[in-house]
Amino acid sequence: MKIDRIELHHIKIELVSPFTTSMHQLKDVEHIIVRVDSEGITGWGECVAEANPFYSYETVHTAWHILEDFLIPSILRKDILNADEAIKINKHVRGHLMAKAGLEAALWDLFSKSKNISLSKMLGGTRNKIDVGVSIGIQNSEAELINNVEGYLNEGYKRIKIKIAPGKDIQPIKELRKKFPEILLQVDANSAYGLEDLKIFKEIDSYNLLLIEQPLGYDDIYEHSKLQAELKTPICLDESIHSLDDTRMALKLKSCRIINIKPGRVGGFTESILIHDYCASKKIPVWHGGMLETGIGRAGNIALTSLPNFTLPGDISASKKYFKEDIVEPEFILNKDGTIDVPVNDGIGVEVNVKALEKITVRKKIYT
Ligand code: OSB
Ligand code: MG
């Protein structure tokens, strides 16, 4: 398909409540929405680089630069057969995986629409609904945390993940476990600890958690293997995994027993599927992480999660957990059984509300 036109939107959308982690506090989400037009069909993708370089070195501005100066020129006005080909064209661009994934997502949407099939089908999905959980930021008090968790459990969410940081770890876990002894509970440290904190993890190990996400260095694989050897709770890597090669290394070194997949972090759906398939062959469960996406990115995440080895609930919550008004129609809602339906319409399967998109756009550029 000949790529006629690409549009970038730097968006800024307010969260219904601030999201606090060991690395940042977000009051709103800044991402880039990518629109690709070809032969009368429109594809949409979301680049999840954030306003700051605290989770990843990429930011909304570095991603814009890489998209504008390198990725877009290499495919604009060219005849592209599929998303894989677009990736191959940009292989010489090192890193900048979120920028690449945003464009790749728009192309996947475009190509699945051109074939009149859903993105889920196109990616190899096998489920029509996916199990979901919530990711809860660090709260001001344990009472507030318990209150929030209770609310989400009542809505039907299947699994609770809380963010932890030094000094805000054992106590909240202990209180939650006391109040909710049976729930699926996991924690995410976002690299806030070192091997010298072994004592803390030994204690966390006694609370029957589903997993401990990214406790150590954001690019570390080796030290996680040392920590994993000391714990019965599975470690799950997020930040450290950027590719199939990283995944292989982490599993070889026994650095983790579960992998979190985020297309933005690994360069898109193509690499995500390679990681998914490799983990399946090694009997390692994967689950889908989240980057507080709007409905555009969320739709892609849901399609990817419909693949068979996504056996743990994802960080994919309903639109209203994040935003007062989402920019897709229909917005994503939680079923009573803690699932979200996988869209069946062509491509991402939801319509973009262009008016709502324009309202949150702070910078826009069209490339022809
Ligand atoms: O570590 O999983 C993370 C959000 C921004 C950056 C990093 C992370 C997160 C989340 C949000 O946990 C999960 C969601 O989208 O609900
Ligand atoms: Mg994480």
Side-chain angles (χ1 to χ4, degrees):
M1 296 179 79
K2 188 164 159 282
I3 307 300
D4 303 317
R5 182 178 181 281
I6 297 180
E7 195 174 287
L8 298 183
H9 289 248
H10 173 173
I11 57 159
K12 184 168 177 171
I13 177 168
E14 199 187 340
L15 287 163
V16 291
S17 58
F19 188 70
T20 307
T21 70
S22 65
M23 60 192 169
H24 57 16
Q25 183 180 55
L26 300 173
K27 294 198 164 71
D28 32 47
V29 172
E30 291 189 51
H31 283 167
I32 298 170
I33 301 300
V34 182
R35 172 180 172 157
V36 177
D37 283 279
S38 168
E39 301 171 10
I41 302 175
T42 298
W44 295 95
E46 180 164 345
C47 166
V48 298
E50 299 186 303
N52 57 63
F54 303 153
Y55 169 77
S56 154
Y57 67 84
E58 290 185 84
T59 69
V60 72
H61 291 288
T62 69
W64 188 287
H65 158 53
I66 296 298
L67 280 159
E68 171 167 283
D69 294 328
F70 300 99
L71 306 182
I72 291 175
S74 72
I75 65 161
L76 194 61
R77 295 186 294 276
K78 300 233 166 74
D79 212 359
I80 305 286
L81 283 174
N82 50 49
D84 292 351
E85 191 188 333
I87 293 170
K88 283 195 195 106
I89 293 175
N90 282 310
K91 239 192 152 95
H92 59 291
V93 176
R94 296 184 182 179
H96 300 283
L97 298 173
M98 291 177 173
K100 289 175 180 168
L103 181 60
E104 197 221 40
L107 292 168
W108 273 104
D109 182 33
L110 179 78
F111 290 117
S112 45
K113 281 170 177 163
S114 81
K115 291 190 160 53
N116 294 108
I117 59 171
S118 69
L119 181 59
S120 163
K121 263 230 171 78
M122 185 92 167
L123 296 174
T126 53
R127 288 192 195 96
N128 56 18
K129 50 189 193 161
I130 58 155
D131 291 339
V132 298
V134 272
S135 172
I136 303 175
I138 295 168
Q139 304 294 306
N140 293 321
S141 68
E142 268 86 56
E144 217 169 299
L145 175 63
I146 285 177
N147 198 40
N148 274 323
V149 168
E150 195 147 44
Y152 289 128
L153 291 172
N154 286 340
E155 283 183 59
Y157 284 105
K158 287 200 189 242
R159 177 275 279 154
I160 299 295
K161 154 172 154 184
I162 63 163
K163 295 286 186 178
I164 57 168
K168 291 169 175 176
D169 37 38
I170 308 290
Q171 199 57 22
I173 295 170
K174 194 172 158 183
E175 302 267 330
L176 271 183
R177 259 297 172 241
K178 203 163 80 195
K179 178 94 183 156
F180 308 106
E182 302 293 334
I183 60 168
L184 296 182
L185 180 63
Q186 64 191 55
V187 295
D188 188 358
N190 289 111
S191 299
Y193 298 85
L195 275 182
E196 68 279 9
D197 298 312
L198 179 61
K199 240 185 96 195
I200 297 173
F201 290 107
K202 283 281 195 194
E203 192 167 349
I204 292 176
D205 207 20
S206 69
Y207 288 100
N208 187 28
L209 301 182
L210 199 54
L211 58 88
I212 301 170
E213 188 177 343
Q214 197 71 32
L216 309 179
Y218 60 82
D219 260 342
D220 170 77
I221 292 181
Y222 177 68
E223 290 195 345
H224 280 97
S225 73
K226 297 283 159 198
L227 181 60
Q228 181 66 92
E230 300 283 336
L231 304 176
K232 25 179 225 300
T233 311
I235 288 177
C236 168
L237 291 178
D238 172 355
E239 279 91 326
S240 296
I241 303 294
H242 301 284
S243 61
L244 173 60
D245 285 344
D246 288 345
T247 307
R248 276 206 196 100
M249 200 193 310
L251 297 185
K252 260 246 141 48
L253 287 176
K254 300 191 165 55
S255 303
C256 64
R257 298 205 284 262
I258 296 174
I259 298 273
N260 163 315
I261 295 180
K262 294 177 182 173
R265 200 195 60 230
V266 305
F269 295 133
T270 306
E271 193 74 15
S272 299
I273 294 170
L274 293 176
I275 295 171
H276 165 276
D277 292 352
Y278 180 75
C279 287
S281 77
K282 299 286 172 196
K283 302 208 162 28
I284 294 289
V286 302
W287 60 283
H288 205 301
M291 292 295 292
L292 311 171
E293 289 89 346
T294 73
I296 295 176
R298 190 166 308 282
N301 294 352
I302 292 169
L304 183 63
T305 308
S306 69
L307 271 70
N309 193 38
F310 281 91
T311 49
L312 298 172
D315 274 355
I316 301 176
S317 311
S319 299
K320 72 167 194 181
K321 192 250 173 191
Y322 309 91
F323 314 113
K324 210 154 77 193
E325 185 194 25
D326 205 339
I327 58 172
V328 300
E329 283 165 355
E331 64 168 39
F332 288 101
I333 53 168
L334 182 73
N335 300 318
K336 286 210 170 55
D337 64 352
T339 62
I340 290 182
D341 293 337
V342 179
V344 293
N345 295 337
D346 296 351
I348 58 171
V350 287
E351 291 298 320
V352 175
N353 178 342
V354 175
K355 253 204 190 123
L357 170 62
E358 293 292 344
K359 265 207 302 210
I360 58 166
T361 296
V362 294
R363 178 188 184 193
K364 171 176 162 179
K365 198 155 168 186
I366 294 165
Y367 306 87
T368 53

